[in-house]
Amino acid sequence: MEQGSQMCLWVDADSFPRQARHYIQQTAIQHKIKLVYVANKRIPFDFDSPLFSAVIQPSEKNAADNYIFDNCNENDIVFTRDIEFAKRLSDKKITALNDRGAIFDTKTLAKMLKEKALSEQMELLGLHTGKSRHHYGRQELEAFIKTFNTVLEQTPINGFPSSYPC
């Protein structure tokens, strides 16, 4: 990465949990990192900061994903719950995390895509696994925070590793 290049945090914000968005905002302020919410509706920030911006996209399928994909670079971190979008980001060598602490790498994506396909097939057959991914509580948030902090420690911020003394 070029020295001095700016990191940006991108949030596919339509369905990303408020608690995780709140933590991302706090982290962006603490480390002076640009933060962009992209959604098809206004998603409010919990804090005011010149580092924050929001981009509202049309409601058409993948509009927010495509905007993020076209504008992010390999210095950035993208937060999304969309597995297919995460696959596109991985192919572009962009770091992507979900709200439950998973880093979307090749191995994780392969497993998640298989699970999703199986779940869709079972649903078509009228079978349900009984597993709900809608609950988002303390355990999920703590896993997200732990993973995000680990990724941030390993990622250069503003051209320097985050551990670099400014």
Side-chain angles (χ1 to χ4, degrees):
M1 168 186 6
E2 280 181 45
Q3 188 139 318
S5 59
Q6 291 274 321
M7 171 196 281
C8 185
L9 304 174
W10 297 88
V11 181
D12 183 3
D14 285 315
S15 68
F16 217 78
R18 188 200 64 75
Q19 304 97 307
R21 291 193 322 259
H22 183 86
Y23 186 78
I24 294 167
Q25 291 174 63
Q26 289 177 316
T27 303
I29 290 169
Q30 177 184 358
H31 292 283
K32 298 177 177 54
I33 304 170
K34 293 179 184 177
L35 169 61
V36 182
Y37 281 1
V38 183
N40 64 15
K41 62 183 180 260
R42 185 180 174 282
I43 306 289
F45 291 100
D46 297 332
F47 308 100
D48 287 329
S49 173
L51 296 167
F52 299 171
S53 61
V55 177
I56 299 175
Q57 290 294 295
S59 293
E60 65 192 46
K61 185 172 174 56
N62 296 325
D65 299 351
N66 292 336
Y67 182 88
I68 294 170
F69 186 81
D70 292 343
N71 289 282
C72 68
N73 67 58
E74 62 187 39
N75 305 327
D76 299 341
I77 300 173
V78 177
F79 303 92
T80 185
R81 299 175 76 190
D82 184 329
I83 299 168
E84 284 86 8
F85 177 43
K87 171 77 169 92
R88 289 174 58 203
L89 292 165
S90 177
D91 292 345
K92 190 178 173 181
K93 307 289 188 250
I94 304 295
T95 301
L97 284 72
N98 75 5
D99 60 323
R100 294 170 184 272
I103 299 172
F104 288 114
D105 57 24
T106 306
K107 185 178 174 182
T108 303
L109 281 165
K111 180 182 175 196
M112 288 178 152
L113 288 167
K114 284 180 187 175
E115 287 174 356
K116 183 176 188 230
L118 178 61
S119 178
E120 288 171 351
Q121 288 175 354
M122 290 177 69
E123 213 171 281
L124 286 173
L125 295 171
L127 304 171
H128 299 282
T129 62
K131 213 165 95 172
S132 174
R133 303 276 297 161
H134 297 291
H135 173 76
Y136 193 82
R138 170 174 248 117
Q139 184 176 355
E140 291 81 10
L141 180 61
E142 287 175 1
F144 169 76
I145 289 170
K146 181 179 179 185
T147 301
F148 180 26
N149 288 340
T150 299
V151 168
L152 207 54
E153 287 172 9
Q154 299 168 355
T155 305
I157 299 173
N158 300 328
F160 300 100
S162 58
S163 59
Y164 186 87
C166 295

